[in-house]
Amino acid sequence: MGKELIEWPYPIDYNKVNIVDTDVLVLGGGIAGSWAALAAIKRGVKVTIVEEMDIFSAGPAGVDHIVYALDNPCCTISPEEFIEGVGPWQYWDYINGISHYIMYREGYDMLCELEKMGAKIRDTEDEFKGAEFRDDETKLMFAYDYDTKHTLRVWGATFRPALTAELKRQRVSIHNRVKVTSFLTEGGEEGSRILGATGINVRTGEFYVFKAKATVLTTGRGGNRVWDYRGGSVATLPRSSGGGLVMAWNAGAELANMEGRAAGGGDPYPRYGTGNPLNTWYPCTMIDAKGKEIPYVDGKGNILTSFEQRVHPSLLGQRFFLERSYRNGNSPVKRPVSLCHTPKFAEAVRKGEYTLPIYADLPGMPEDERRAIFGLMIANEGMTWILYKNYAEAGFDPDKDLLQAYSGGTSSRYDGSPLVGTKKSGYRSYLGGLVHDWDFKTSLEGLYAAGESLFSVHYHGLAAISGRWAGAKAADYAKDTTEPEIFDEQVEKERERVYAPLNRTEGIDWKELNAGVSGAMRTYGGDTLTDEMLNLALVWLKELEEKEAQELIAGSPRELARCLQSMEVLKLAEMWTHAALTRKASCRFLTISKLEYPDNDPPEWHKFITIKKGQDTVEVGDRPLYYWNKQPYALTYKENYERHKPWGKK
Amino acid sequence: MNAKSKAGSRGEKKVYIAKSNQSIIKFDHKSCTGCANLKEPMCVKACRTDMLLPNPVKGKPPTVVYADECCACGCCVHACPRALKGAITMNWPLAMSVRWKRKDTGEHYRIRMPNPPPPNTKPPVSGYYPKIKRG
Ligand SMILES: Cc1cc2nc3c(=O)[nH]c(=O)nc-3n(C[C@H](O)[C@H](O)[C@H](O)COP(=O)(O)OP(=O)(O)OC[C@H]3O[C@@H](n4cnc5c(N)ncnc54)[C@H](O)[C@@H]3O)c2cc1C
Ligand code: SF4
Ligand code: SF4
């Protein structure tokens, strides 16, 4: 079939170099980036955001629940009680304690600031009046735990538009459709002060040099394309290539948890269905194909007998539910889960106790719960507005219809209960990011980071509060520092690099390279790892870097940006492999299973592994878990928070 | 590679690109105004993979290119001021066409099925476009 050709509608100029001067440069205009910019500009400095998409839809389009807003007026538990109650166990040890603690202290405060910008965080129209999960005085709505009320149900589809409008109102300078490609450093040297970044416009191909006194990296994490890209369509969102982390690596920054990954495919939303009873659907009743109820179970595996028990920890003798149990079956469950998300379910199905497939029994839910799950949460989740619309248009009616579940019992997305499609579909790198201090300053002078660019951050609220804090700190730093002196040679070298795919007439396209990386990673970095296999992965990746990456071709600015992304995926794969080789142990939380080192998280490896680029090698290091509450910091969360917080009394 | 430029060298101005013959994104030529009054059509602005190009003819729907990179996020539909009038639709990707079952009759349905049931006209809580009200 002949293809009709049309003219590229944007004026192309690969020779043009735009120079932009700013005080604070924010890279990535998603959730963390938007907050960083707003916090910085309030301090009277000049702020510039660079976003590869358009700020209009940067980051996820929505959010349906905000976790850990412990400072909300209805929450009955303090941050200290929460931390103490969660206790030290695996999942919590590897999280980002700094962001989490600030979230406990300022999550609701952040939401109130957002509300002033026009977002909807409470049921102002009294649509859920009298519902058990609503506080009729504040009109706040809660999820999961109706006793302690630490998690809020929100109208998250209003968040992005409110932030965008505020950025314009505050006159933040915004560069849309510009992909940042590298950091500029003092003297062009790795490990020295960050002085800004370079970028290309993905429509016009023009080059950008951003000079900044302080820079905040908020490009998110990426990693969907390391294992799972097969040359097909999806997973090409800017954030999916992990470019920001690669830039930081190339500049010599220290990264932690890079070996951390999560099982699961690279499908972006909308995935099959609309969620699952672990989050969006919680506490929806699940039933099997014959209509038999699949019960919820508590942390000890006891079957719950009433709906009330799913939402009232007090009925189970618990003080509070943790927002989410991390992989039931591997770790102690701290909140009820549907049996369909436990390893026992597979067994029960094999014994004939349940019949596949399974369904969410929305019609069987109390009316206000059903409306909260489908009418509010689905319509406001990350990218699921379209889902509500398309389901409704196709005739799906939550009052009458059972929604088939595609995870849990019948899929491989969650460990422990694979029945159909037993092989894990792949992995996504999930937990790696920049090491930082209580100011969200990274190991490089002049570089701050927030959101998913940090190690172990993966919630909307954490992105917002870390962005807000990092932006304020970066502004303070910018006020106090010298003008950046750009090293021209570094700019020229980067221009050579980024435009190279345009100069070739023969070669391979970006999909071929990305699929090649994924193929290598599935082969040598799969379910069970050995040192030999990981070393082979490095050999493969090096070959790809030296040969195929040098053969990439692009015919438009957009294809050029995709080529650069594929090179980022290649580097991200290499970073993962180095970190995975360094950890000579298995670790379930990090989803690392090693043949030679089968012990799960032995004490000597119960620590963060850090990596950074050395001269010709990789410098590996480590940090104790909870390093943020050890020397040189104060010894408690509270004290560190008070000492470092960038604003007056909160 | 979908794009072809005459000389392919740096600084090249004219680039031609293959129009996608099929895509899950569809425009309704009657209700889409091409956002003629705006600098950039809303759906083009919103697209996360930049695969919708403004039509050189003012008032006409955008053109789809690189359709295989669509991530099915629906942001283009969400952004369109005439989405509820059908100006732009996202046909659910076939591989993600979920199924459901009517509880009392046991009938099976799926998204994109032939002879679908009548649409459910109930909007989300607070409507498809909750108001953004600055306090
Ligand atoms: C479908 C979905 C549902 C979710 N639901 C919830 C929920 O209900 N509750 C919750 O707490 N969390 C939820 N999350 C997680 C939450 O949305 C993220 O944790 C949060 O958005 C992270 O913010 P961020 O700013 O770090 O990254 P993002 O918001 O992803 O922003 C990163 C931005 O950087 C840009 N970028 C990347 N690379 C470059 C580059 N090289 N140059 C220029 N720009 C670049 C990207 O385009 C993007 O706009 C959900 C996520 C998804 C995808
Ligand atoms: S589909 Fe909607 S947003 Fe896109 S051009 Fe047409 S009217 Fe504008
Ligand atoms: S669904 Fe998303 S990626 Fe596809 S055209 Fe629309 S905005 Fe672009």
Side-chain angles (χ1 to χ4, degrees):
Chain A
M1 206 158 42
K3 279 200 175 162
E4 191 184 334
L5 292 182
I6 55 168
E7 197 179 325
W8 186 249
Y10 309 108
I12 291 177
D13 192 346
Y14 296 125
N15 292 323
K16 185 162 175 194
V17 178
N18 303 276
I19 308 222
V20 179
D21 242 308
T22 190
D23 293 327
V24 173
L25 177 66
V26 178
L27 305 177
I31 304 306
S34 298
W35 278 101
L38 290 172
I41 208 153
K42 276 208 185 125
R43 306 206 154 202
V45 295
K46 209 156 81 180
V47 181
T48 301
I49 291 192
V50 189
E51 168 57 50
E52 184 167 347
M53 304 193 288
D54 190 299
I55 198 89
F56 180 81
S57 53
V63 47
D64 58 8
H65 66 286
I66 291 285
V67 300
Y68 315 135
L70 303 186
D71 58 329
N72 85 72
C74 304
C75 183
T76 60
I77 190 161
S78 73
E80 273 61 35
E81 285 169 324
F82 189 76
I83 291 167
E84 187 260 330
V86 166
W89 55 292
Q90 219 185 22
Y91 168 46
W92 288 86
D93 286 353
Y94 287 92
I95 64 157
N96 186 309
I98 301 174
S99 305
H100 271 251
Y101 188 77
I102 298 173
M103 182 66 200
Y104 306 161
R105 299 288 299 256
E106 299 184 357
Y108 179 68
D109 182 79
M110 173 272 291
L111 287 172
C112 290
E113 193 177 336
L114 199 54
E115 189 177 32
K116 289 200 194 103
M117 299 175 203
K120 187 167 159 73
I121 66 161
R122 60 188 100 223
D123 180 26
T124 40
E125 275 114 50
D126 296 332
E127 291 176 274
F128 292 91
K129 203 169 178 177
E132 217 205 330
F133 49 79
R134 179 187 193 259
D135 174 63
D136 283 339
E137 205 180 307
T138 58
K139 305 189 179 198
L140 291 172
M141 308 237 296
F142 302 94
Y144 305 121
D145 178 337
Y146 301 168
D147 289 341
T148 52
K149 304 184 171 66
H150 55 63
T151 294
L152 291 154
R153 280 171 163 154
V154 291
W155 280 253
T158 63
F159 290 12
R160 177 73 260 175
L163 282 171
T164 307
E166 192 66 13
L167 288 167
K168 291 195 176 145
R169 203 174 289 125
Q170 301 295 342
R171 303 192 181 284
V172 170
S173 152
I174 298 168
H175 291 269
N176 286 321
R177 305 285 173 192
V178 175
K179 171 182 176 55
V180 286
T181 63
S182 73
F183 280 117
L184 294 168
T185 55
E186 200 151 56
E189 271 165 36
E190 281 165 28
S192 60
R193 182 183 153 203
I194 298 294
L195 307 176
T198 61
I200 57 157
N201 186 300
V202 302
R203 287 178 169 174
T204 65
E206 289 173 19
F207 196 80
Y208 281 81
V209 175
F210 297 99
K211 287 163 67 172
K213 290 184 185 157
T215 303
V216 190
L217 184 71
T218 49
T219 46
R221 172 184 308 119
N224 286 359
R225 288 157 65 178
V226 171
W227 283 271
D228 264 356
Y229 190 76
R230 292 164 210 249
S233 58
V234 295
T236 52
L237 294 181
R239 73 199 295 272
S240 65
S241 63
L245 295 186
V246 170
M247 282 168 53
W249 167 265
N250 286 337
E254 186 183 12
L255 297 127
N257 262 354
M258 279 313 292
E259 71 278 28
R261 57 180 184 175
D267 290 350
Y269 278 63
R271 296 206 179 104
Y272 293 111
T274 56
N276 59 68
L278 280 181
N279 54 49
T280 308
W281 296 353
Y282 193 83
C284 189
T285 300
M286 303 300 292
I287 58 176
D288 81 349
K290 294 201 169 134
K292 181 176 173 188
E293 183 172 332
I294 302 161
Y296 276 70
V297 294
D298 73 7
K300 300 190 186 93
N302 301 317
I303 287 180
L304 306 189
T305 49
S306 76
F307 175 81
E308 293 300 301
Q309 289 170 316
R310 296 177 206 165
V311 289
H312 290 290
S314 53
L315 296 177
L316 302 174
Q318 258 184 308
R319 200 155 40 136
F320 67 95
F321 286 154
L322 208 129
E323 175 269 329
R324 143 175 203 212
S325 59
Y326 191 78
R327 244 173 266 164
N328 177 43
N330 287 339
S331 309
V333 180
K334 301 250 175 161
R335 192 194 72 193
V337 288
S338 169
L339 185 73
C340 74
H341 276 285
T342 71
K344 287 220 175 86
F345 187 63
E347 203 183 296
V349 171
R350 278 187 201 104
K351 280 196 207 140
E353 288 169 28
Y354 299 100
T355 311
L356 297 176
I358 58 175
Y359 296 88
D361 184 10
L362 287 165
M365 295 295 286
E367 193 271 344
D368 48 17
E369 283 288 350
R370 173 167 64 239
R371 237 170 0 108
I373 292 172
F374 203 81
L376 177 65
M377 295 176 80
I378 301 290
N380 281 279
E381 221 246 29
M383 293 181 197
T384 53
W385 180 91
I386 189 72
L387 212 145
Y388 186 99
K389 180 174 181 287
N390 279 14
Y391 276 43
E393 284 172 359
F396 177 79
D397 184 347
D399 296 343
K400 296 182 190 152
D401 293 326
L402 305 167
L403 193 54
Q404 189 178 320
Y406 288 84
S407 67
T410 60
S411 97
S412 51
R413 260 195 73 203
Y414 295 92
D415 273 358
S417 52
L419 279 175
V420 177
T422 37
K423 188 93 180 71
K424 286 186 190 116
S425 56
Y427 297 95
R428 55 208 155 93
S429 80
Y430 190 52
L431 297 156
L434 286 150
V435 174
H436 63 98
D437 63 12
W438 275 92
D439 291 338
F440 291 93
K441 187 171 169 284
T442 69
S443 63
L444 299 179
E445 189 64 22
L447 182 64
Y448 295 75
E452 295 190 352
S453 298
L454 307 171
F455 71 93
S456 292
V457 164
H458 40 244
Y459 287 116
H460 187 114
L462 300 182
I465 58 95
S466 60
R468 193 166 80 154
W469 188 296
K473 292 286 180 172
D476 292 349
Y477 173 86
K479 283 186 197 166
D480 236 31
T481 191
T482 51
E483 282 294 329
E485 289 259 357
I486 301 297
F487 186 65
D488 291 338
E489 252 173 65
Q490 193 174 28
V491 173
E492 278 321 302
K493 234 171 119 183
E494 180 63 2
R495 284 183 72 203
E496 280 300 317
R497 183 186 79 90
V498 301
Y499 291 120
L502 293 168
N503 298 332
R504 305 182 185 119
T505 46
E506 259 178 64
I508 60 167
D509 74 355
W510 65 269
K511 290 183 180 172
E512 171 78 353
L513 179 64
N514 196 153
V517 172
S518 286
M521 293 309 283
R522 283 198 299 276
T523 310
Y524 301 108
D527 293 353
T528 305
L529 307 169
T530 69
D531 285 354
E532 174 75 15
M533 294 284 271
L534 288 170
N535 277 314
L536 267 174
L538 286 179
V539 170
W540 242 109
L541 295 170
K542 192 161 178 53
E543 285 171 10
L544 289 174
E545 187 172 1
E546 286 171 356
K547 182 167 179 287
E548 281 78 4
Q550 306 309 317
E551 296 170 0
L552 282 169
I553 48 170
S556 69
R558 189 180 177 289
E559 286 175 2
L560 183 60
R562 292 278 186 262
C563 286
L564 296 171
Q565 284 182 352
S566 287
M567 294 200 267
E568 289 160 2
V569 173
L570 172 62
K571 193 49 89 177
L572 196 65
E574 190 191 313
M575 288 153 66
W576 176 85
T577 312
H578 279 302
L581 260 173
T582 306
R583 185 174 285 278
K584 302 278 186 232
S586 295
C587 180
R588 269 192 220 121
F589 173 63
L590 301 169
T591 325
I592 297 288
S593 167
K594 292 198 154 184
L595 202 64
E596 291 121 324
Y597 316 101
D599 278 3
N600 178 47
D601 208 28
E604 68 275 23
W605 287 98
H606 198 50
K607 60 186 177 186
F608 292 113
I609 299 288
T610 64
I611 54 169
K612 78 177 188 194
K613 188 166 171 261
Q615 275 305 355
D616 293 304
T617 51
V618 172
E619 285 177 24
V620 300
D622 56 37
R623 295 253 177 154
L625 299 174
Y626 303 103
Y627 73 81
W628 45 83
N629 286 345
K630 293 184 168 38
Q631 292 292 347
Y633 310 110
L635 303 184
T636 65
Y637 282 107
K638 199 169 186 167
E639 214 180 322
N640 280 311
Y641 172 82
E642 296 298 340
R643 236 185 238 185
H644 293 270
K645 73 178 174 198
W647 16 75
K649 236 179 153 34
K650 278 265 175 207
Chain B
M1 203 169 70
N2 273 320
K4 292 199 172 31
S5 56
K6 288 249 178 67
S9 63
R10 261 164 80 168
E12 176 60 57
K13 292 279 196 301
K14 280 222 184 301
V15 164
Y16 296 90
I17 184 140
K19 197 168 155 176
S20 295
N21 293 327
Q22 51 176 42
S23 158
I24 59 168
I25 303 302
K26 300 265 181 266
F27 297 96
D28 173 39
H29 289 245
K30 280 206 198 91
S31 44
C32 166
T33 61
C35 288
N37 54 331
L38 300 177
K39 213 168 82 194
E40 182 178 22
M42 290 308 291
C43 55
V44 173
K45 187 177 176 62
C47 180
R48 302 166 79 91
T49 62
D50 212 11
M51 49 167 276
L52 306 176
L53 299 183
N55 199 310
V57 185
K58 267 239 171 246
K60 293 272 180 230
T63 311
V64 182
V65 292
Y66 301 104
D68 64 339
E69 289 171 41
C70 180
C71 69
C73 62
C75 290
C76 48
V77 183
H78 195 172
C80 170
R82 301 169 74 81
L84 299 181
K85 295 194 178 87
I88 178 171
T89 44
M90 190 190 96
N91 209 355
W92 208 252
L94 206 46
M96 295 187 191
S97 290
V98 273
R99 302 192 70 90
W100 68 87
K101 188 162 94 167
R102 194 133 292 185
K103 192 174 180 181
D104 55 1
T105 64
E107 277 167 285
H108 281 270
Y109 301 95
R110 73 163 166 93
I111 294 227
R112 289 179 72 168
M113 71 190 290
N115 308 317
N120 163 16
T121 52
K122 213 186 299 165
V125 173
S126 313
Y128 274 103
Y129 296 93
K131 283 211 173 53
I132 314 288
K133 275 186 274 186
R134 196 151 188 269

